[in-house]
Amino acid sequence: MRSAAPQQQMRSAAPQQQQQQQQQQQQLQQMQQMQQQQRQQQQQMQAAPPPPQAGVGVTFAPNGEGVHIITAIRPGGAAEQCGRIIVGDILWGVNNVTIKGQKIGEVIGLLTGPNGSEVTLMVLDGKFPYLTPKYCQLKRMVGVPVSMGVKR
């Protein structure tokens, strides 16, 4: 009888080992599937480049007092098409966000976006900044940059 007990334990251990092996195999298959999905996602991300950023066609420079002055307007750009923005104007706000004191990179980030998306500029007259601001609703265009000019 004593010899029968260890045999029964071995018999009951065998199905448990098989279950563990099956679980391990399932886990391995799941991990392989997840890795394959990750590889496919990475390939898709590499295959599809991000859409190009579009701008409004202005170049600006800080004046040292936290104000951004428009130094150039690109011909054919949205800013020129608006017809209300001129060189020397003060870029005061973008989409109802006042930009005085903001870093140049932050301002460029506000001005650029997907092609065809809209942006509203609030511009002050460079000679008479106390006059009513000019608002221009523009559509961003690919190939029309927004850039930082050289402080003069």
Side-chain angles (χ1 to χ4, degrees):
M1 277 198 189
R2 289 184 187 177
S3 62
Q7 288 177 355
Q8 286 179 345
Q9 288 177 351
M10 289 176 63
R11 286 182 195 156
S12 64
Q16 288 177 352
Q17 287 177 348
Q18 287 177 348
Q19 286 179 345
Q20 286 178 348
Q21 288 175 349
Q22 288 175 348
Q23 288 175 347
Q24 289 174 348
Q25 287 176 348
Q26 288 175 349
Q27 289 174 347
L28 180 62
Q29 288 174 349
Q30 288 174 350
M31 285 178 30
Q32 289 172 343
Q33 287 175 349
M34 287 174 47
Q35 289 173 345
Q36 185 176 1
Q37 288 174 349
Q38 288 175 344
R39 281 192 296 270
Q40 289 174 345
Q41 288 174 347
Q42 288 174 346
Q43 288 172 352
Q44 289 173 353
M45 287 174 29
Q46 290 172 353
Q53 290 294 299
V56 295
V58 296
T59 301
F60 63 93
N63 71 351
E65 297 174 10
V67 175
H68 303 281
I69 308 296
I70 295 174
T71 58
I73 298 173
R74 183 173 176 149
E80 183 189 57
Q81 291 174 7
C82 170
R84 301 183 70 201
I85 301 172
I86 61 172
V87 171
D89 280 351
I90 300 166
L91 185 56
W92 193 255
V94 179
N95 289 335
N96 295 320
V97 175
T98 302
I99 61 168
K100 182 178 180 185
Q102 287 195 10
K103 295 179 182 175
I104 290 169
E106 294 170 340
V107 177
I108 290 174
L110 291 170
L111 290 170
T112 57
N115 187 40
S117 61
E118 291 187 351
V119 61
T120 302
L121 304 186
M122 182 172 78
V123 179
L124 302 176
D125 187 299
K127 293 180 183 175
F128 306 102
Y130 48 83
L131 294 177
T132 304
K134 300 181 267 187
Y135 289 89
C136 293
Q137 189 167 1
L138 311 173
K139 283 198 175 187
R140 295 176 176 110
M141 302 165 68
V142 172
V144 181
V146 172
S147 60
M148 178 191 92
V150 178
K151 183 180 171 186
R152 295 175 194 225

